[in-house]
Amino acid sequence: MVVLLQPVTFNSDVYVNPKCKPSPVPVPVIDLTDADAKTQIVKACEELGFFKVVNHGVRPDLLTQLEEEANKFFAMPQYLKEKAGPPDPFGYGSKRIGPSGDMGWLEYILLNANHHLSSTKTTAVFQQTHATFREAVEEYMDEMKRMACNVLEMVEEELSIEPKEKLSKLVKVEESDSCLRVNHYPEKEETPAKEEIGFGEHTDPQLISVLRSNDTEGLQICLKDGSWVNCWRYSSGILSVMTNGRFKSVKHRVLTNTKRSRLSMIYFAGPPLTEKIAPMSCLVLKQEDRLYKELTWSQYKSHCYKSKLGDYRLGVFEEQLPFYMSNV
């Protein structure tokens, strides 16, 4: 990891709600070369919505290179970074997360992963960096796309989803709406009395999120009982819809309670904007058993972007449960 020579200074008055206490829980570690990996993945998605993968085939030197190049970007003078902002949502941003007033102790870049859809802010980020940064980003996104499709194909096989590649092709097609987010949580000179929010509690809306971070603590996921567990190194929103609630969308957050900076890279694998999302008929045979209405990825993405981080985003797309009446 590269230590920043000129750390960015933030002022934050956002603190953690102490209602949830961190607690230990084993996070599933899944070897993608294991013959039983597909069963383990589905179990983890149903029970926790979060799992760690090993033997994934991504070169360690690529991970190191991208971390180093990203740290070089965040170490640049603020006025140069701001040439790639404000985010629209792509580009460089700091402290402000989205348009609804959410704040955090971080700066970030959000990059479009679809080469067929132009983004002036993504281009602006690359203009402020060396060519090696763009090369590393593009290779990394290709690797994350491969891994995401691999995991989704294992899910399809385990659940006997038809037709084949129903999920993975949503990420493979040229129109796929995927992106890469790189979050940088600056180090602090003093550890505050209360842990501060780096990135507030939320769920991810895309099909699946693939996260990689440096060896700095801070990531936590929320369990069913409302307690939080620390994680070192996650199924997402519309998979909850497509599996009719069988897969969980895990709520997670990042705290800043360390003098070390934290860098995380998250690949969000999303379907085309016009793709219709609904519970899959092969998993839900009866219409009245469907928990969610049909929606497009564009509708859901727009709703998530306008909402606050902690909002329950799927609520407006839930089917209304029927009332049963009888004569007494």
Side-chain angles (χ1 to χ4, degrees):
M1 180 179 106
V2 177
V3 177
L4 298 184
L5 299 179
Q6 295 180 329
V8 181
T9 300
F10 290 94
N11 293 316
S12 174
D13 56 358
V14 183
Y15 296 102
V16 176
N17 187 329
K19 65 180 179 180
C20 296
K21 303 292 184 181
S23 61
V25 69
V27 174
V29 179
I30 300 174
D31 183 342
L32 291 185
T33 64
D34 191 325
D36 196 40
K38 61 182 183 294
T39 302
Q40 298 174 42
I41 288 172
V42 168
K43 182 180 179 181
C45 289
E46 291 175 338
E47 295 180 354
L48 192 62
F50 182 101
F51 55 94
K52 177 180 176 180
V53 296
V54 296
N55 289 329
H56 41 66
V58 183
R59 301 190 337 265
D61 61 304
L62 174 60
L63 301 175
T64 300
Q65 180 187 12
L66 184 53
E67 286 184 11
E68 291 178 350
E69 294 295 335
N71 275 319
K72 289 177 184 178
F73 173 86
F74 290 118
M76 293 194 310
Q78 190 66 22
Y79 78 93
L80 289 178
K81 291 183 287 188
E82 289 179 353
K83 289 185 177 182
D88 63 355
F90 300 114
Y92 170 80
S94 105
K95 294 194 291 185
R96 184 175 297 278
I97 306 170
S100 300
D102 291 295
M103 305 291 286
W105 183 277
L106 85 162
E107 55 181 342
Y108 65 90
I109 48 177
L110 187 63
L111 305 172
N112 178 19
N114 189 332
H115 306 308
H116 302 277
L117 298 176
S118 61
S119 167
T120 56
K121 292 298 176 64
T122 295
T123 301
V125 171
F126 291 142
Q127 288 175 339
Q128 299 303 317
T129 57
H130 194 274
T132 52
F133 177 71
R134 181 168 191 163
E135 293 168 1
V137 164
E138 292 181 347
E139 184 176 357
Y140 184 80
M141 289 195 293
D142 287 341
E143 286 294 297
M144 294 303 101
K145 180 178 181 179
R146 175 191 61 78
M147 188 194 305
C149 289
N150 185 22
V151 170
L152 290 172
E153 285 167 3
M154 290 185 184
V155 169
E156 293 163 355
E157 184 177 352
E158 178 67 12
L159 296 182
S160 300
I161 293 174
E162 296 291 343
K164 290 185 177 181
E165 298 192 351
K166 181 176 179 61
L167 297 177
S168 59
K169 76 174 183 180
L170 298 178
V171 182
K172 289 180 178 179
V173 295
E174 290 184 355
E175 299 82 8
S176 171
D177 182 41
S178 301
C179 58
L180 176 68
R181 185 181 184 106
V182 183
N183 291 334
H184 174 240
Y185 304 90
E187 66 270 27
K188 301 178 180 180
E189 295 182 0
E190 297 181 1
T191 302
K194 296 182 179 180
E195 294 174 318
E196 295 175 341
I197 288 291
F199 205 112
E201 59 183 73
H202 64 287
T203 57
D204 293 339
Q206 289 82 0
L207 273 167
I208 191 168
S209 305
V210 186
L211 179 146
R212 171 76 170 90
S213 63
N214 62 359
D215 292 327
T216 301
E217 63 183 6
L219 175 64
Q220 295 186 339
I221 61 173
C222 190
L223 304 181
K224 294 178 181 179
D225 63 1
S227 62
W228 291 89
V229 57
N230 294 310
C231 295
W232 285 92
R233 304 285 193 254
Y234 37 112
S235 137
S236 297
I238 57 175
L239 263 188
S240 295
V241 174
M242 298 182 76
T243 62
N244 204 46
R246 182 169 177 175
F247 283 9
K248 308 304 178 186
S249 183
V250 65
K251 184 180 291 187
H252 52 286
R253 68 185 183 187
V254 175
L255 306 185
T256 56
N257 60 351
T258 176
K259 293 183 180 180
R260 297 183 61 193
S261 64
R262 174 182 171 84
L263 186 78
S264 60
M265 303 176 292
I266 313 100
Y267 178 80
F268 299 105
L273 289 171
T274 57
E275 185 68 29
K276 293 181 179 179
I277 307 298
M280 292 181 285
S281 57
C282 58
L283 298 180
V284 189
L285 300 180
K286 297 181 179 179
Q287 180 68 31
E288 58 267 28
D289 291 336
R290 297 192 175 198
L291 301 180
Y292 301 99
K293 306 171 185 177
E294 183 180 271
L295 60 141
T296 65
W297 168 234
S298 178
Q299 288 173 321
Y300 186 47
K301 180 180 178 181
S302 177
H303 171 69
C304 292
Y305 183 66
K306 295 175 182 177
S307 65
K308 295 185 71 64
L309 283 178
D311 290 347
Y312 175 51
R313 296 164 170 174
L314 281 175
V316 297
F317 300 104
E318 290 180 341
E319 291 280 10
Q320 292 186 350
L321 296 177
F323 288 94
Y324 295 92
M325 305 181 69
S326 64
N327 293 324
V328 178

